[in-house]
Amino acid sequence: MNQPKDLPSWLWLWLPITVVLIPYVTRFIDPATDPYVFGELGVMENITVVALLFAIALAIKCYAHLGKLQFPIFKKWIGLLLLGCIYYAGEELSWGQHWLGWATPELWQNVNDQGETNLHNTIGLLDQFPRAVLSLAALVAIVVPLYLRISGKSLGTDTFKYWWLPTYVNIPTCFMALAVSIHEKSYKLFDTTVPYILDIRSGETKECMLALFLLMYLASFYNRIKQLPAS
C-alpha cells in the first residue's frame, strides 16, 4: 500500500517556528515582558505543558490502533513515551503547584533547590539526564530522516523501522531545540556579553521545543497508524 500521509506543514513546520520566535520577538518589543514569557505561569511554560498534554492524549489514542501492527513491542514503547510525557508535564507544573498554588512543605523545601514540589530540582540526575536523553533523541531525529532522504532509501510500512524511527516532520522542532542555546554558549565561551535581543532563557525555550518534539513524534505516529486498514 501507499505510505500514509504525515502531518500537515502548519503543525510540523510553522507551529515550532512561531513558538521559538516568541522569546525573541517579545524581548525585542520590551525586555520587561520576560516574566510573562518565562515565568512559572508564563507563555513558554504553558506551551510546554499544553504540548505535553496533547502528546499524552495522542499516546493513549494510539493504543486503539496498535493491533494493526505486527510488532507487539510498540505497546511497551508507546507506554514508555506516555509515562515520560506524564513525568515531563508533572515536573513542569511541579505536579500542579504552579496552577493551584499550594505551599511547599518545609521538609521538601530543604531538599529542593527552588522550594517547589518537583523532583528535577532535588538532584542533578533527575534534571540533566532526561534532558540529555531527549537531546540525543532530537539529534537522531534530525540525522536519520536526512540520511534516508539523501540516500534515497524508503522504509515500508510493514517494517519496524518505519514506525519506530522519527520522520522528516521532526526535523524543524529538533533542530531548533538543539540550536536555541548555541549562541548563548558561544558568548559564554568567549566571555562576552550576550546582546539583549538574544539574551533569552534558552534552557526554558529548549525544554519547550523538546516537548514539541514529543508531540510531533506521537502526532506523526498516530496520524499514520490511523490510516492503516484494520487488520
Side-chain angles (χ1 to χ4, degrees), residues 64-227:
H65 300 275
L66 290 180
K68 299 175 181 179
L69 302 181
Q70 58 180 322
F71 309 105
I73 194 173
F74 277 106
K75 292 182 179 179
K76 295 180 180 179
W77 174 239
I78 297 300
L80 179 63
L81 293 177
L82 174 60
L83 291 176
C85 289
I86 292 173
Y87 174 79
Y88 199 162
E91 286 293 292
E92 285 297 301
L93 283 174
S94 289
W95 301 98
Q97 184 179 37
H98 294 166
W99 285 0
L100 300 178
W102 64 65
T104 304
E106 183 177 352
L107 180 62
W108 193 251
Q109 290 186 24
N110 295 330
V111 297
N112 189 283
D113 292 342
Q114 296 185 17
E116 299 172 330
T117 54
N118 56 47
L119 296 173
H120 70 274
N121 288 325
T122 56
I123 59 175
L125 179 65
L126 295 175
D127 182 26
Q128 300 300 324
F129 180 71
R131 185 182 301 190
V133 170
L134 277 176
S135 297
L136 179 60
L139 179 60
V140 172
I142 296 172
V143 173
V144 169
L146 288 177
Y147 168 75
L148 292 174
R149 178 62 63 91
I150 293 171
S151 64
K153 294 183 178 180
S154 179
L155 302 175
T157 58
D158 59 343
T159 63
F160 172 81
K161 290 181 179 179
Y162 173 80
W163 295 104
W164 184 59
L165 292 173
T167 67
Y168 69 92
V169 302
N170 293 276
I171 293 176
T173 301
C174 292
F175 175 77
M176 294 174 208
L178 298 180
V180 71
S181 61
I182 290 178
H183 63 273
E184 182 179 280
K185 293 177 181 177
S186 299
Y187 281 100
K188 287 183 178 179
L189 179 64
F190 294 102
D191 196 25
T192 55
T193 303
V194 181
Y196 87 93
I197 189 62
L198 299 178
D199 192 17
I200 65 169
R201 299 183 190 177
S202 59
E204 298 289 339
T205 307
K206 180 175 183 176
E207 289 177 1
C208 184
M209 300 312 293
L210 289 175
L212 282 174
F213 166 37
L214 289 169
L215 172 60
M216 296 301 167
Y217 179 90
L218 283 164
S220 173
F221 186 95
Y222 174 72
N223 191 56
R224 287 178 291 132
I225 196 173
K226 75 176 182 178
Q227 297 175 56

